[in-house]
Amino acid sequence: MNGAVRIYGKAVPGQMRKHGYRIEYLNETPEQVTARVYKDGEEYKETYTYKEAEQSGYTRGATGLKFGWKEGVNRKLKLRYGALSVILRNYIPLYRDWE
């Protein structure tokens, strides 16, 4: 968008690993996950919750709860991607140059 590269979903951890970051997921529940990202002495942690996703309008569509947000593996992945996305936007600004 506007000349900037945006990554999301399963591309997020792949690109982070490609650029040398290591990723761990801590305290995973159906309601939240904490991601820890580290590389060369840098370390970032962020917790992303289902409540935050709800408040942002990500979980519901015109017909109710979106399929990917039903409790289970898909929700777990979406919470992981959400935590990593927050880390990228707030702490790793150069990700915009990743292709």
Side-chain angles (χ1 to χ4, degrees):
M1 180 182 282
N2 298 326
V5 174
R6 302 282 186 230
I7 60 173
Y8 58 93
K10 67 182 180 180
V12 173
Q15 285 294 317
M16 292 179 84
R17 287 185 183 106
K18 178 180 169 184
H19 290 273
Y21 288 93
R22 304 213 37 184
I23 301 167
E24 290 180 348
Y25 301 104
L26 313 167
N27 306 319
E28 284 188 276
T29 71
E31 300 301 317
Q32 72 176 33
V33 66
T34 299
R36 176 180 174 246
V37 175
Y38 55 99
K39 169 186 166 180
D40 301 331
E42 300 174 61
E43 180 178 328
Y44 310 104
K45 270 189 189 177
E46 192 67 48
T47 299
Y48 190 71
T49 67
Y50 179 70
K51 185 174 181 175
E52 289 172 318
E54 281 185 310
Q55 290 171 339
S56 297
Y58 299 145
T59 62
R60 297 217 170 258
T63 59
L65 187 65
K66 291 180 183 176
F67 177 78
W69 284 100
K70 291 181 180 178
E71 194 170 327
V73 173
N74 285 336
R75 182 186 290 185
K76 178 175 147 179
L77 292 174
K78 286 187 174 285
L79 290 171
R80 284 179 171 191
Y81 301 154
L84 292 178
S85 292
V86 171
I87 290 171
L88 280 173
R89 284 192 307 268
N90 293 323
Y91 306 112
I92 307 174
L94 295 177
Y95 90 91
R96 292 180 185 91
D97 297 330
W98 295 358
E99 296 179 5

